[in-house]
Amino acid sequence: MQIATSLFYDRSASTLTSLSAKADSLQTQIATTKRFSAPSQDSVAYQRLAGLARDTANDKIYAANLGTADSVLTQADTSLTAIADQLQTAVGLVTQAKNGTLNAANRKAIGEQIAGIVATMTNLANAKDARGQPLFGGGDGATAVATDGSYALASKPVSGIPIGDGQSIQANETAARIFTVGGTTKSDGSIDGGTNTLAMLAAIATALQSDDFTPSALDTSLTDITAASDQLSTVQASLGARAARVDLETFRLKDVGTDREATRSGLEDTDITSAVVELQKTMTVLSATQASFSKLSALSLFDYLR
């Protein structure tokens, strides 16, 4: 069989070009540690990687939101614990005030202490959270507790913080839910009626400081404070359950992130060991092909006739 000279050179050039391209590709994979650099090289893997990248970006946002929620919940729990301590102090003071042996001056001093407790609880409620928003304020931006003496409580619930696809968590509570005993929760989450804990304590303080004080003014005071403490405990337990949920979701995101990274690596990262072996094999074949081509191209008719 005769082979045209042009066909011989074309086939040899094609083979050398193919081997060189394969070697270049392997060298690029090793240098960049990536199996491909363009979608056309593996469209299926590229689409999967795009989805993984999108999910990773979303989870970074959710992780940041979980961090914010955890910070707010921790601050809320700390504040509620401090408020609970103030209520406990109020119980001791009222118990002492109910003692009929106190003189007017001591009674009024206790009244001033309780008034101070009300001021402290108001300040704790009006603190700002890590986002610079009222810790126990309303969803409309209202201050948690009015400081004009009315002790009006923010009651519109705040929006939840997104922590996952279709998932959100309310990281705080309104002052109305914390400081209202009884009452009816309306469809919008606000509370109608009930007893305002701060107003109740302020009334006790006023009664103790009055010159017309009568012991009957404290008849239900301990019961009222106990009910306020129970309501506070209920809210704090609810926040604790949300904090536990935040922890679980944080761990879940970490686990998902680890699995996603393993999947991404399997799709995109170069197996360096295999790539190096394949490159060495390709270079060997390329060298042998170049040598064969050089030797064959140097032959002439006289070489065959000898």
Side-chain angles (χ1 to χ4, degrees), residues 124-136:
L124 287 169
N126 284 332
K128 302 287 187 179
D129 63 23
R131 301 167 294 181
Q133 300 176 4
L135 184 58
F136 301 121

Side-chain angles (χ1 to χ4, degrees), residues 3-13 292-294 296-298:
I3 300 176
T5 302
S6 60
L7 181 60
F8 165 71
Y9 279 103
D10 287 344
R11 286 183 175 178
S12 298
S292 298
F293 173 72
S294 298
L296 289 173
S297 62

Side-chain angles (χ1 to χ4, degrees), residues 148-207:
D148 58 1
S150 66
Y151 302 107
L153 306 174
S155 61
K156 185 177 181 180
V158 298
S159 299
I161 299 175
I163 59 172
D165 292 338
Q167 299 183 63
S168 63
I169 192 166
Q170 188 177 345
N172 62 352
E173 279 292 358
T174 61
R177 177 150 164 73
I178 296 168
F179 295 117
T180 301
V181 179
T184 303
T185 302
K186 298 192 292 186
S187 59
D188 62 357
S190 60
I191 299 176
D192 186 28
T195 300
N196 184 320
T197 297
L198 296 173
M200 175 267 293
L201 288 173
I204 292 174
T206 299

Side-chain angles (χ1 to χ4, degrees), residues 48-279:
R48 290 190 63 190
L49 286 170
L52 292 173
R54 183 172 55 253
D55 292 341
T56 298
N58 289 338
D59 281 358
K60 284 183 179 179
I61 296 174
Y62 293 140
N65 287 350
L66 284 166
T68 298
D70 181 66
S71 175
V72 174
L73 286 166
T74 299
Q75 186 179 355
D77 181 70
T78 300
S79 296
L80 291 180
T81 297
I83 291 172
D85 291 340
Q86 293 295 315
L87 284 174
Q88 189 59 42
T89 300
V91 169
L93 291 172
V94 170
T95 301
Q96 186 179 353
K98 289 172 68 71
N99 188 335
T101 61
L102 288 178
N103 58 38
N106 290 336
R107 174 172 47 79
K108 290 182 178 181
I110 291 176
E112 291 176 359
Q113 287 181 271
I114 293 177
I117 287 175
V118 174
T120 298
M121 292 172 64
T122 298
N123 290 335
L124 287 169
N126 284 332
K128 302 287 187 179
D129 63 23
R131 301 167 294 181
Q133 300 176 4
L135 184 58
F136 301 121
D140 53 2
T143 301
V145 181
T147 56
D148 58 1
S150 66
Y151 302 107
L153 306 174
S155 61
K156 185 177 181 180
V158 298
S159 299
I161 299 175
I163 59 172
D165 292 338
Q167 299 183 63
S168 63
I169 192 166
Q170 188 177 345
N172 62 352
E173 279 292 358
T174 61
R177 177 150 164 73
I178 296 168
F179 295 117
T180 301
V181 179
T184 303
T185 302
K186 298 192 292 186
S187 59
D188 62 357
S190 60
I191 299 176
D192 186 28
T195 300
N196 184 320
T197 297
L198 296 173
M200 175 267 293
L201 288 173
I204 292 174
T206 299
L208 288 171
Q209 295 176 80
S210 173
D211 292 331
D212 299 325
F213 172 78
T214 56
S216 61
L218 301 180
D219 283 349
T220 63
S221 56
L222 290 177
T223 300
D224 292 340
I225 296 174
T226 299
S229 296
D230 291 342
Q231 175 62 22
L232 186 69
S233 297
T234 298
V235 173
Q236 197 165 12
S238 176
L239 292 178
R242 294 176 217 174
R245 181 187 170 198
V246 167
D247 289 341
L248 289 173
E249 188 64 18
T250 299
F251 290 136
R252 188 193 70 81
L253 279 185
K254 289 181 179 178
D255 290 341
V256 168
T258 300
D259 293 341
R260 186 183 297 123
E261 174 59 22
T263 301
R264 182 210 62 76
S265 179
L267 289 170
E268 185 178 28
D269 291 348
T270 301
D271 184 339
I272 301 297
T273 302
S274 297
V276 169
V277 171
E278 185 66 21
L279 176 61

